[in-house]
Amino acid sequence: MTITAEAPEKSMRSSGTLFRLATAGSVDDGKSTLVGRLLHDAQAILTDQLAAVARTSAERGFGESFDEEGQPLDLALLTDGLRSEREQGITIDVAYRYFATDKRSFVLADCPGHVQYTRNTVTGTSTADAVVLLVDVRNGVVEQTRRHLAVATLLRVEHIIVAVNKIDALSYSEDAFRAVETEIRQVSRDLRAQNAGAERAQAEPIVVPVSALRGDNVVKVSENTPWYTGEALLPVLEQLPDADAEHRLEEPMRLPVQTVIRPQGGLAPEVDAEAFTDFRGYAGQVAAGRLSPGDTVRIQPGGHATEVTAVRRTGLQQDLVPGEAASAGESVVVELAGQYDVARGSVLTAEAAPAQELDELTVRLAWLNEKPLVPGDRVLFKHGTATVKALVTEVDSRLDLTTLSADNAEQLQLNDIGTATIKLAAALPVDDYVASKRTGASLLIDPADGNTLAAGLISLPEAAEGQDAGSDEDWLSS
């Protein structure tokens, strides 16, 4: 296996698909050591960085792991990059690492384990294709394990890998591993049953017995666990499909408008200004689906339908021809037929499957602020490129992480996961998070200081059978 550890951009070009993963786990479960072991055994560490870690490890008398020259290594030092992290022995901020193998390039978000930093875990997990969740085999499933599983399930992370760590501390006991594995699978099933659509979106967790300290089942299958018939952690990560990318292409087209481009004389010297006198383009990233010249799209809010007359890829400055499509994830500039009021915050949607325009929403929230959320709170609601004033009219429920039941609640405290009803100052075109992760996600923002209060996942009401929101029957009965 050839591993590259060049600068991130070079590493990503050298291998195939890009895969985003996040790590999570309680304090002292060995998360930083596992990430360090993964990078070390995958030979994804620069020589001078490894030497610095060896010097610090030797000064501290750390002697459990060794490099090729027999020097002691504290592998956690490879990831605990901040001074305060090293002093406290815990990870505080999300640290992003880049490495590549022959089969895949990785962006790894190393998230904190302390409950105080759950907001950082939500941040790191929100864009991940997979989560590697650490569990200390000696402690089993604890509240923080349930919290991290709940966050991963709520955010619809496609793949959850549970690394049952420190298996060496119990003499590689199969019974101890199986007990944790059984509990993990039961908790996961209960959580997915609580979240509509999660059972369809997520597979069963992959559970791997590992020793981050000694390297068992991290890069290679260990001889110390002959009862384990699965693969080691790294090969698992190399083989998992990037399911999110496939889903985004299958979803109805969505393009939140980032900005309106009108050059009005401000062109590069070599560009003919006369040719762009009447130019009006709408720039943004295709959030879902595909977009081609000649497509009919709706401009939301409002719902006017019009034709896409041109699509330019912003990176290559190329015009797409009819039949050629820009795909989810691409940044483009779109020209439309006719004169319409399109601005930042507007969304271009597929004509056949537009978004619902609502001014009152039910939102599942991961509350990330020390000030509790209560009915009557005034917040800003950010959805795509639009931000509007909003009022919390009701706190509907709070997830009990012990029983996994949604209990009635009057407020949400820091790190709580719950559901609230939110009234918007203006209707927004939204999707259900189960149907579309990009256009079903939102943020609650403090209008006073601009800090993020919560990550929100939109739940749309189910239409009555045989009717839709715009049917004649609805209109006549309203």
Side-chain angles (χ1 to χ4, degrees):
M1 176 182 296
T2 301
I3 310 294
T4 56
E6 298 93 342
E9 290 186 1
K10 186 176 180 181
S11 294
M12 289 178 192
R13 287 197 300 268
S14 67
S15 292
T17 58
L18 176 64
F19 197 74
R20 298 177 183 275
L21 68 145
T23 58
S26 301
V27 175
D28 295 332
D29 277 356
K31 182 170 51 58
S32 294
T33 301
L34 177 66
V35 174
R37 169 64 68 184
L38 190 65
L39 298 176
H40 176 267
D41 288 9
Q43 302 173 35
I45 303 170
L46 298 176
T47 302
D48 57 345
Q49 185 184 13
L50 188 61
V53 170
R55 284 196 301 272
T56 304
S57 299
E59 291 170 1
R60 297 182 178 184
F62 193 90
E64 292 287 349
S65 297
F66 301 89
D67 64 9
E68 294 178 352
E69 297 178 355
Q71 296 298 315
L73 288 177
D74 182 355
L75 295 172
L77 295 177
L78 290 167
T79 56
D80 291 340
L82 301 177
R83 175 178 295 179
S84 53
E85 290 179 344
R86 297 184 184 211
E87 290 174 348
Q88 296 183 54
I90 61 173
T91 303
I92 294 175
D93 203 357
V94 179
Y96 290 92
R97 308 287 169 181
Y98 306 85
F99 67 100
T101 71
D102 288 342
K103 298 178 180 178
R104 173 167 276 176
S105 297
F106 295 94
V107 179
L108 187 156
D110 184 21
C111 304
H114 197 286
V115 66
Q116 180 181 352
Y117 303 110
T118 299
R119 73 195 79 183
N120 305 47
T121 303
V122 172
T123 300
T125 305
S126 61
T127 58
D129 298 306
V131 167
V132 177
L133 176 60
L134 269 287
V135 176
D136 187 329
V137 68
R138 299 170 300 177
N139 301 328
V141 176
V142 297
E143 179 174 328
Q144 191 69 334
T145 310
R146 293 169 179 266
R147 190 186 310 278
H148 289 152
L149 276 172
V151 168
T153 303
L154 195 66
L155 294 176
R156 270 184 55 209
V157 180
E158 279 73 12
H159 309 290
I160 298 175
I161 303 104
V162 179
V164 182
N165 194 23
K166 304 185 182 181
I167 192 71
D168 58 303
L170 295 182
S171 304
Y172 300 96
S173 167
E174 180 180 6
D175 290 343
F177 169 75
R178 298 299 178 198
V180 176
E181 180 186 36
T182 300
E183 191 171 6
I184 285 287
R185 296 195 186 285
Q186 184 59 52
V187 172
S188 178
R189 278 194 290 270
D190 292 344
L191 284 169
R192 284 184 292 158
Q194 291 264 343
N195 292 274
E199 287 188 315
R200 173 172 53 85
Q202 291 179 318
E204 282 274 325
I206 298 170
V207 189
V208 184
V210 304
S211 169
L213 193 63
R214 302 185 183 283
D216 295 295
N217 294 326
V218 176
V219 172
K220 296 179 180 178
V221 173
S222 172
E223 296 178 353
N224 294 319
T225 54
W227 39 265
Y228 175 66
T229 57
E231 295 196 76
L233 180 60
L234 183 60
V236 168
L237 294 173
E238 288 179 326
Q239 295 171 32
L240 286 174
D242 180 6
D244 183 50
E246 296 174 7
H247 290 162
R248 289 178 71 183
L249 294 177
E250 295 169 355
E251 293 166 4
M253 199 286 296
R254 300 285 189 264
L255 193 158
V257 174
Q258 185 78 27
T259 188
V260 180
I261 297 176
R262 295 198 65 194
Q264 297 181 320
L267 296 172
E270 66 275 13
V271 177
D272 181 7
E274 291 293 329
F276 287 87
T277 300
D278 298 322
F279 181 87
R280 182 187 293 269
Y282 307 102
Q285 186 181 68
V286 181
R290 296 178 171 86
L291 181 67
S292 297
D295 286 354
T296 299
V297 296
R298 289 188 182 275
I299 303 166
Q300 295 188 278
H304 293 291
T306 187
E307 181 184 352
V308 176
T309 57
V311 178
R312 289 183 167 88
R313 286 193 169 100
T314 55
L316 301 176
Q317 299 298 319
Q318 288 181 338
D319 289 0
L320 273 63
V321 300
E324 188 180 3
S327 302
E330 286 193 59
S331 294
V332 296
V333 176
V334 179
E335 293 176 68
L336 301 174
Q339 298 291 327
Y340 295 98
D341 181 15
V342 183
R344 176 182 170 84
S346 300
V347 183
L348 306 182
T349 63
E351 183 191 27
Q356 287 195 41
E357 296 183 17
L358 298 173
D359 62 2
E360 186 171 80
L361 300 169
T362 299
V363 184
R364 296 168 185 264
L365 297 172
W367 188 248
L368 309 174
N369 195 272
E370 293 183 356
K371 176 187 173 185
L373 175 74
V374 295
D377 277 355
R378 297 176 179 180
V379 299
L380 297 178
F381 187 87
K382 180 172 175 54
H383 175 259
T385 57
T387 302
V388 300
K389 293 180 179 178
L391 183 68
V392 179
T393 57
E394 189 174 357
V395 175
D396 303 310
S397 64
R398 172 186 172 277
L399 179 66
D400 186 317
L401 292 172
T402 303
T403 64
L404 302 181
S405 61
D407 299 339
N408 293 332
E410 297 181 350
Q411 60 178 236
L412 295 181
Q413 303 278 352
L414 175 65
N415 297 321
D416 276 350
I417 296 171
T419 303
T421 302
I422 296 176
K423 179 71 175 177
L424 307 179
L428 293 177
V430 297
D431 290 299
D432 195 298
Y433 188 80
V434 172
S436 176
K437 290 176 67 174
R438 267 67 186 179
T439 54
S442 60
L443 292 175
L444 297 191
I445 298 172
D446 190 330
D449 55 22
N451 288 329
T452 299
L453 299 172
L457 315 177
I458 297 168
S459 297
L460 294 185
E462 294 183 7
E465 189 174 355
Q467 289 186 329
D468 58 36
S471 68
D472 292 341
E473 288 79 6
D474 276 343
W475 186 84
L476 290 172
S477 60
S478 63

